[in-house]
Amino acid sequence: MKADSEEAAPQEAAQAAAPQEAAPQEAAPKESPKARRSAAPAITNPWARPQRARRDQPLLSREQIVQEALALLDSDGIEALSMRKLGARLNAGATSLYTHVANKDELLALVVDAVFGELPLPDPAGAEDPTVWRKALEEVAESLRACILRHPWMVSVMGDVGMIYFGPSWMRLGEAGLALMETAGFEAHDANDAMSVLFGFVIGTATVEAAWLSALAKSGRDEQQWASEVMPTVVEATKDFPRLHRLYTNHMPEELDAGRDSGFTKGVRLVLDGLEASLGEGWKH
């Protein structure tokens, strides 16, 4: 019995030392789209963030940071914006900036709202008269378009999901626009739809224009130079398409920028014609 037990001991030790076959593991459950969305960074409201007390010299404020970021964006474009580069322009470390804004997205929201603050607010006085509210909305449309063309980097962020349309400047513009349209006789929900249609046209048109002008600037050409180089090719390419051919040979404006201006004004007036036609009848939802 002793020999049997001694012989068994090395066998048991060998079995203990031998690698054990791993038990099959259950596959990790796939993460649902809802779970992935819940794990995404929360959208924060930069205007609700309390201003830090100004203690040390030299002083930095949120307004200084926003204005310097705006200058950087206007001069060098969206690709050039980084917290490190902005800090260097302000003679401050990037960490100093994070005491005022949580991240680059918050900073961009603040800068965009500062740009929206350039826009004049429509006055609802006398808007019962269609000529008054139409003129006011034309001015809003022209101002918004000019604003986007002055700051072409905005086209990169205006379609982002975030807080840029919930800043105080845009909210003031929206409130004034609703007051104008309600005075004109639109119901509240129709007034909101009307402003959305107008802003959608303006932002869409100006976004294309700004992207086009930025591309021209990078090429070193202006619009007239581009036209003189490209139009012969365009005319030749449209020979098999008679309507397009007539358009490009007979109806192209001599000054392309004037053509863009008149096209925009015509588009805005068409939108306003539709809004005026719907007034009093209610929109079909």
Side-chain angles (χ1 to χ4, degrees):
M1 295 294 295
K2 181 178 181 181
D4 291 343
S5 61
E6 287 177 352
E7 184 179 352
Q11 293 178 354
E12 292 174 356
Q15 290 174 356
Q20 300 294 313
E21 184 177 351
Q25 295 183 354
E26 293 184 3
K30 290 185 178 180
E31 187 179 27
S32 68
K34 183 176 181 180
R36 285 197 297 272
R37 288 195 298 270
S38 64
I43 297 175
T44 58
N45 182 353
W47 297 277
R49 188 178 302 282
Q51 296 271 13
R52 296 299 179 108
R54 304 179 68 173
R55 295 172 295 182
D56 301 326
Q57 299 289 339
L59 301 176
L60 254 189
S61 68
R62 182 183 294 173
E63 182 180 358
Q64 287 174 292
I65 294 169
V66 168
Q67 290 304 313
E68 192 60 38
L70 176 57
L72 174 59
L73 288 162
D74 284 345
S75 63
D76 298 343
I78 192 76
E79 300 85 1
L81 180 64
S82 71
M83 301 300 270
R84 180 176 296 178
K85 182 177 289 188
L86 182 58
R89 288 172 64 113
L90 289 163
N91 296 317
T95 53
S96 300
L97 307 185
Y98 287 117
T99 63
H100 297 276
V101 292
N103 50 45
K104 184 177 172 180
D105 289 341
E106 273 200 11
L107 175 61
L108 282 170
L110 291 167
V111 177
V112 170
D113 196 66
V115 172
F116 287 152
E118 300 171 6
L119 300 173
L121 301 180
D123 183 356
E128 297 86 357
D129 182 349
T131 60
V132 173
W133 67 259
R134 286 181 63 114
K135 183 174 185 297
L137 288 185
E138 277 195 47
E139 291 173 353
V140 168
E142 290 167 1
S143 297
L144 180 55
R145 174 193 178 222
C147 181
I148 294 172
L149 296 185
R150 280 197 306 274
H151 309 286
W153 54 267
M154 288 178 65
V155 303
S156 301
V157 299
M158 291 189 74
D160 290 350
V161 175
M163 296 297 297
I164 66 170
Y165 294 108
F166 295 97
S169 296
W170 186 261
M171 300 280 263
R172 280 192 292 270
L173 179 63
E175 181 73 11
L178 291 176
L180 176 77
M181 300 306 281
E182 288 181 10
T183 303
F186 289 86
E187 297 293 333
H189 58 279
D190 289 339
N192 183 63
D193 289 344
M195 296 303 297
S196 295
V197 168
L198 179 64
F199 286 150
F201 171 79
V202 175
I203 292 172
T205 302
T207 293
V208 172
E209 284 188 274
W212 155 247
L213 294 174
S214 295
L216 277 180
K218 290 178 181 178
S219 75
R221 299 176 177 87
D222 61 25
E223 289 183 275
Q224 297 308 122
Q225 289 173 321
W226 176 87
S228 64
E229 293 176 19
V230 173
M231 285 308 295
T233 303
V234 172
V235 170
E236 180 67 25
T238 58
K239 281 186 175 180
D240 293 333
F241 306 93
R243 292 173 179 80
L244 289 174
H245 191 69
R246 286 196 301 271
L247 179 68
Y248 283 108
T249 53
N250 300 327
H251 300 289
M252 292 300 293
E254 293 184 5
E255 299 293 331
L256 293 186
D257 57 348
R260 286 189 293 105
D261 291 343
S262 64
F264 177 80
T265 300
K266 183 182 293 185
V268 169
R269 289 176 180 172
L270 287 172
V271 171
L272 299 183
D273 287 345
L275 296 181
E276 185 174 0
S278 73
L279 186 60
E281 299 178 359
W283 288 20
K284 295 179 180 179
H285 294 282

